[in-house]
């Protein structure tokens, strides 16, 4: 009996130890956040919002947020954390000031508890924003969670200190997007329609992208230098660089165009961001007069309208400046070939019209035009706009254009735009006769070795050249010896050495009757001897295997005889042709009905029923009976 109480006393400490272990296990689970239920998470969120004493719940809620976390837990935690940080944004120091305060407090006497708390709070806020960036960029994130994360990021950008645009947070967000290793198309589909229509968002995006691209260029160029000497790792480096460049291009090309006629409808994401964009800093409030900020009670409507127009025009200038700097920085990067082609294909529509000074693109476009091949064909549109509208001088333009005329250009993807520009470039009446003759002759020679759709384009361009430049009409039919009368006129446009070389070539060609003096391999149109040749290829095309080509050549000959009654051919109607279009037009063509010497349908009798109405013949009855019995036998 005496030994019973001690045995009971031994059991009590074991129960206490179990409860302590359970509490420790709960704390560990809360710290990890892995075993939390939705009710427990809501309780932690309510405690965090209700009192500062539960500030330790903050790391627990942060541990729940990740792209792979359960959707309901991640959403609840994100909403509670956003509600917690939004009222504290004015009190949270910036990252740079927090570091300075922390480093100053280390060397000081005693650390201020409030300062330590604010520094710790800043670290937790940066951790929260980094998690939001990760959710927004990751392709593992749910679409709804990505949408909420993006809204939370932009709310922090909007509701920053003093109501200013928090460019630091937005810059970190864009930097994380550029560093992404997965596709960002789902994010851009949300970011573009929601926020890229606001002028201040555009302004700070262009400004941040310029900084990111310049930093990227300075750091990546060293890696490119190492890539020359590397092996397998270099391929992964190059692929990462190319992927980052593609992301930058997607960001810059996602913005809607800045249309001048809609300047009055500019929208701002942040009201104070308007002053920053137009150059009114918050540090200089004295510069804001009553005429700058027009209130609703302003009696002078004309002054208000004048200020609105000046402010919107100033916004447009500022945005165009940042737009140009961002694109120029991007075009200095080593672009992948697919991005290079996309930029050249859209530069004349999406970049040049919205630049304050498009002439700064001349180096990029002339360098692209000198490459040759498809790149030069695609660069022609932008270069042509700079030459015709912005006074760019390019002395060897026609020589490069002449060199682009190869059979490959007739199969290029952007051949339609190229041939329309080619026809436009050859429209000037100041074009020398030898240059027009060289283009006409080279196109005529190419018509023998290209598809029928290309031959139709060539016929249309040559037709327009002969109409615009009557001085080269002799090429239509020039016999050997007729070119002697035109040698002097051609020599006047060339230098002395070139003239001697061409004279020697002429003496050699004149000895060979039936030989074409035109040099197809010559890249210089002056030395091609086109003025001594003729367009005999056009006569050959009259016997082309494609009826459409043969008919078009005949119409060309008729148009030149009655020039006053005809007009130029629209090249755009033929520039996008192919084998499919030629075949489709041919089968749709109505054939003239003519009497035939055979039946279209094999007759079953000598006379048809329509020829003897009301009559029947015994052989027809007999045939019908045979058909009926044969059908019955088959059925049995």
């Amino acid at each position: 009996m005496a030994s019973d109480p001690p045995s009971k006393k031994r059991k009590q400490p074991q129960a206490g130890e179990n409860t302590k272990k359970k509490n420790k296990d709960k704390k560990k689970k809360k710290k990890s956040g892995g075993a939390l239920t939705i009710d427990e998470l809501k309780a932690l969120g309510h405690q965090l919002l209700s009192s500062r004493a539960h500030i330790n719940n903050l790391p627990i809620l942060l541990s729940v947020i990740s792209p792979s976390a359960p959707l309901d837990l991640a959403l609840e935690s994100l909403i509670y954390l956003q509600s917690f940080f939004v009222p504290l944004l004015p009190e949270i120091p910036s990252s740079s000031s927090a570091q300075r305060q922390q480093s100053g407090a280390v060397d000081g006497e005693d650390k201020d508890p409030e300062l330590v708390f604010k520094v710790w709070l800043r670290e937790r806020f940066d951790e929260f924003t980094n998690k939001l960036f990760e959710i927004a960029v990751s392709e593992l994130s749910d679409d709804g969670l990505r949408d909420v994360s993006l809204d939370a990021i932009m709310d922090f950008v909007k509701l920053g200190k003093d109501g200013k645009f928090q460019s630091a947070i937005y810059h970190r967000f864009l930097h994380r997007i550029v560093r992404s290793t997965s596709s960002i198309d789902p994010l851009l589909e949300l970011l573009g329609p929601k926020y890229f229509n606001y002028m201040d968002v555009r302004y700070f995006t262009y400004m941040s992208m310029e900084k990111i691209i310049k930093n990227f260029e300075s750091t990546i160029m060293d890696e490119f230098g190492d890539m020359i000497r590397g092996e397998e790792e270099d391929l992964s480096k190059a692929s990462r660089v190319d992927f980052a460049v593609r992301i930058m291009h997607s960001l810059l090309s996602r913005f809607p165009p800045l249309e001048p006629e809609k300047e009055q409808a500019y929208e701002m994401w942040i009201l104070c961001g308007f002053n920053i964009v137009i150059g009114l800093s918050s540090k200089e409030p004295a510069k804001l007069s009553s005429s700058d900020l027009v209130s609703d009670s302003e009696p002078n409507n004309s002054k208000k309208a004048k200020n609105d127009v000046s402010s919107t025009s100033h916004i447009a200038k500022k945005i165009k400046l940042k737009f140009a700097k961002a694109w120029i920085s991007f075009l200095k990067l080593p672009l992948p070939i697919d991005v290079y082609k996309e930029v050249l294909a859209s530069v004349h529509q999406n970049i040049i019209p919205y630049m304050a000074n498009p002439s700064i693109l001349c180096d990029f476009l002339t360098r692209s035009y000198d490459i040759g091949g498809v790149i030069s064909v695609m660069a022609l549109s932008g270069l042509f706009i700079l030459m015709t509208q912005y006074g760019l001088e390019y002395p060897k333009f026609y020589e490069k254009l002449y060199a682009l005329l190869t059979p490959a250009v007739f199969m290029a993807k952007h051949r339609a735009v190229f041939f329309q520009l080619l026809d436009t470039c050859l429209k000037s009446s100041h074009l020398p006769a030898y240059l027009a003759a060289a283009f006409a002759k080279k196109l005529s020679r190419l018509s023998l070795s290209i598809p029928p759709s290309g031959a139709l384009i060539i016929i249309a361009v040559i037709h327009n050249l002969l109409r615009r430049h009557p001085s080269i009409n002799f090429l239509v039919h020039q016999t050997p010896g007729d070119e002697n009368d035109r040698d002097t006129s051609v020599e006047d446009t060339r230098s002395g050495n070139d003239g001697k070389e061409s004279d020697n070539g002429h003496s050699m060609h004149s000895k060979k009757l039936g030989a074409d003096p035109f040099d197809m391999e010559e890249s210089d149109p002056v030395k091609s001897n086109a003025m001594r040749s003729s367009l005999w290829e056009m006569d050959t095309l009259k016997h082309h295997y494609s009826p459409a080509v043969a008919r078009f050549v005949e119409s060309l000959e008729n148009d030149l005889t009655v020039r006053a009654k005809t007009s130029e051919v629209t090249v755009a109607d033929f520039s996008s042709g192919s084998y499919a279009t030629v075949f489709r037009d041919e089968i749709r063509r109505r054939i003239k009905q003519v009497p035939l010497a055979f039946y279209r349908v094999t007759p079953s009798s000598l006379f048809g029923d329509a020829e003897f109405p009301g009559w029947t013949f015994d052989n027809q009855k007999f045939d019908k009976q045979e058909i009926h019995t044969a059908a019955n036998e088959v059925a049995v």
Side-chain angles (χ1 to χ4, degrees):
M1 297 294 293
S3 61
D4 291 338
S7 63
K8 292 181 179 179
K9 290 181 180 179
R10 290 192 190 99
K11 293 179 181 179
Q12 290 176 356
Q14 291 178 359
E17 289 176 359
N18 291 333
T19 56
K20 289 180 180 179
K21 288 182 179 180
K22 290 181 180 179
N23 291 334
K24 289 181 179 179
D25 293 340
K26 288 182 179 179
K27 289 182 179 179
K28 288 181 180 179
K29 289 180 180 179
K30 287 183 179 180
K31 288 181 180 180
S32 63
L36 288 175
T37 63
I38 189 67
D39 295 332
E40 293 174 347
L41 191 141
K42 288 182 178 180
L44 292 175
H46 282 299
Q47 292 174 2
L48 179 63
L49 296 178
S50 61
S51 174
R52 186 173 175 177
H54 301 283
I55 193 65
N56 288 329
N57 294 349
L58 182 58
I60 301 174
L61 295 176
L62 283 172
S63 63
V64 178
I65 301 178
S66 68
S68 58
L71 180 59
D72 53 349
L73 296 179
L75 281 174
E76 287 292 337
S77 179
L78 192 154
I79 293 172
Y80 279 118
L81 290 173
Q82 182 181 0
S83 303
F84 172 76
F85 279 114
V86 166
L88 298 177
L89 282 177
E91 303 176 7
I92 298 177
S94 62
S95 299
S96 57
S97 61
Q99 292 176 358
R100 288 195 303 267
Q101 293 173 2
Q102 190 175 12
S103 60
V106 171
D107 300 332
E109 299 177 355
D110 295 328
K111 296 182 180 179
D112 185 8
E114 189 67 21
L115 177 61
V116 174
F117 173 73
K118 288 184 177 180
V119 172
W120 179 84
L121 199 63
R122 180 69 206 190
E123 293 176 353
R124 302 289 75 76
F125 178 72
D126 291 340
E127 181 182 356
F128 178 49
T129 53
N130 289 334
K131 287 181 176 291
L132 292 178
F133 299 160
E134 184 65 26
I135 292 174
V137 171
S138 177
E139 60 182 2
L140 301 176
S141 302
D142 183 81
D143 292 338
L145 183 61
R146 182 183 292 109
D147 194 0
V148 175
S149 300
L150 178 60
D151 291 340
I153 294 169
M154 298 307 295
D155 283 343
F156 290 145
V157 172
K158 183 177 183 179
L159 303 174
K161 189 175 181 180
D162 299 331
K164 293 187 297 184
F165 194 101
Q166 292 295 310
S167 58
I169 298 176
Y170 193 63
H171 180 80
R172 287 171 50 210
F173 180 43
L174 293 177
H175 192 266
R176 179 64 186 86
I177 293 176
V178 172
R179 288 173 47 245
S180 175
T181 57
S182 58
S183 176
I184 61 167
D185 290 338
L187 175 60
L188 292 181
E189 290 176 0
L190 293 174
L191 189 61
K194 273 191 173 184
Y195 301 105
F196 282 173
N197 290 322
Y198 297 105
M199 291 297 106
D200 49 352
V201 175
R202 291 194 198 184
Y203 178 85
F204 287 104
T205 302
Y206 293 139
M207 185 173 66
S208 296
M209 287 302 298
E210 180 191 2
K211 297 178 181 178
I212 292 172
I213 292 171
K214 287 183 177 180
N215 184 31
F216 179 83
E217 182 182 9
S218 61
T219 55
I220 293 303
M221 287 304 105
D222 298 334
E223 296 186 10
F224 266 103
D226 296 337
M227 277 187 229
I228 300 175
R229 300 183 297 271
E231 295 179 357
E232 295 181 356
E233 295 182 357
D234 299 341
L235 297 176
S236 61
K237 286 182 181 180
S239 62
R240 289 199 302 270
V241 170
D242 292 347
F243 194 78
V245 171
R246 289 186 178 93
I247 292 177
M248 295 176 191
H249 177 254
S250 299
L251 277 170
L252 291 175
S253 59
R254 184 70 61 163
F255 288 96
L258 182 65
E259 300 180 5
E261 61 271 12
K262 296 183 179 180
E263 286 185 357
Q264 300 295 335
Y266 285 162
E267 296 183 50
M268 296 291 167
W269 173 240
I270 300 173
L271 185 59
C272 293
F274 176 85
N275 295 335
I276 297 175
V277 172
I278 64 174
L280 300 176
S281 175
S282 59
K283 296 181 180 180
E284 300 175 352
K287 291 185 178 181
L288 294 174
S289 61
S290 59
S291 61
D292 294 325
L293 299 176
V294 181
S295 61
D296 295 336
S297 59
E298 179 67 39
N300 193 349
N301 294 329
S302 61
K303 183 183 293 186
K304 179 178 179 179
K306 185 183 296 184
N307 291 332
D308 290 342
V309 173
S310 60
S311 62
T312 52
S313 61
H314 195 53
I315 291 173
K317 291 181 181 179
K318 286 284 186 179
I319 293 179
K320 285 183 177 181
L321 180 62
K322 294 298 180 182
F323 173 85
K325 288 183 177 180
W327 271 107
I328 291 299
S329 301
F330 174 76
L331 295 178
K332 293 179 181 179
L333 296 176
L335 304 180
I337 188 64
D338 56 339
V339 177
Y340 203 162
K341 290 181 179 179
E342 288 181 14
V343 172
L344 290 175
S346 61
V347 66
H348 62 289
Q349 294 177 343
N350 300 334
I351 300 178
I352 291 180
Y354 309 110
M355 280 188 168
N357 183 20
S359 300
I360 58 179
L361 291 172
C362 64
D363 292 337
F364 170 74
L365 291 175
T366 53
R367 187 169 60 250
S368 302
Y369 191 63
D370 292 338
I371 292 176
V374 180
I375 299 297
S376 296
V377 172
M378 301 178 71
L380 181 61
S381 299
L383 193 62
F384 179 76
I385 292 177
L386 293 185
M387 293 176 60
T388 56
Q389 299 181 14
Y390 298 97
L392 175 65
E393 295 183 2
Y394 192 72
K396 297 183 179 180
F397 175 77
Y398 283 100
E399 292 182 11
K400 297 290 183 181
L401 186 61
Y402 183 80
L404 290 178
L405 296 178
T406 60
V409 77
F410 291 89
M411 276 74 79
K413 182 179 179 180
H414 302 277
R415 62 183 181 275
V417 179
F418 171 76
F419 286 112
Q420 293 177 34
L421 288 175
L422 174 65
D423 184 63
T424 305
C425 293
L426 299 177
K427 188 177 289 187
S428 174
S429 59
H430 301 285
L431 201 67
Y434 74 88
L435 199 57
F439 275 94
K441 179 58 183 178
K442 188 170 186 179
L443 288 171
S444 180
R445 181 66 61 84
L446 286 172
S447 64
L448 302 179
S449 58
I450 59 174
S453 58
L456 293 174
I457 300 173
I458 287 178
I459 296 170
V461 175
I462 292 178
H463 175 272
N464 293 340
L465 279 173
L466 293 175
R467 286 189 58 84
R468 297 165 186 164
H469 307 280
S471 58
I472 65 171
N473 283 346
F474 64 89
L475 293 175
V476 176
H477 182 70
Q478 180 172 232
T479 59
D482 292 346
E483 67 272 13
N484 296 333
D485 299 334
R486 280 175 286 275
D487 285 345
T488 55
S489 61
V490 178
E491 290 172 359
D492 293 340
T493 60
R494 295 179 260 176
S495 60
N497 294 331
D498 294 340
K500 293 178 181 178
E501 293 177 1
S502 61
D503 289 340
N504 294 333
H506 164 60
S507 61
M508 294 175 62
H509 287 298
S510 60
K511 297 177 182 179
K512 298 180 181 180
L513 297 177
D516 193 345
F518 175 72
D519 188 0
M520 183 68 177
E521 304 299 328
E522 178 60 52
S523 59
D524 189 357
V526 178
K527 301 177 182 179
S528 62
N529 294 324
M531 295 288 283
R532 296 193 177 101
S533 182
S534 64
L535 301 180
W536 57 266
E537 296 89 353
M538 293 292 101
D539 188 68
T540 305
L541 291 181
K542 293 180 180 179
H543 310 284
H544 198 276
Y545 67 89
S546 175
V549 176
R551 287 193 301 268
F552 198 22
V553 173
E554 292 179 358
S555 66
L556 166 66
E557 186 176 359
N558 295 332
D559 289 348
L560 293 177
T561 56
V562 285
R563 184 186 303 270
K565 299 181 181 180
T566 59
S567 59
E568 292 185 2
V569 179
T570 304
V571 178
D573 297 339
F574 306 92
S575 57
S576 58
S578 62
Y579 276 111
T581 57
V582 173
F583 181 76
R584 185 177 63 248
D585 294 341
E586 195 63 29
I587 61 176
R588 289 178 179 176
R589 178 180 170 83
R590 296 189 62 182
I591 301 176
K592 184 179 180 181
Q593 298 292 333
V594 295
L596 301 176
F598 58 88
Y599 293 100
R600 292 186 178 276
V601 180
T602 303
S604 59
S605 62
L606 182 59
F607 301 106
D609 296 339
E611 298 179 5
F612 296 93
W615 288 74
T616 57
F617 299 94
D618 293 338
N619 60 343
Q620 292 182 355
K621 292 181 180 180
F622 181 75
D623 293 339
K624 291 180 180 179
Q625 290 177 0
E626 286 185 349
I627 295 172
H628 182 67
T629 55
N632 292 335
E633 292 177 358
V634 173
V636 173

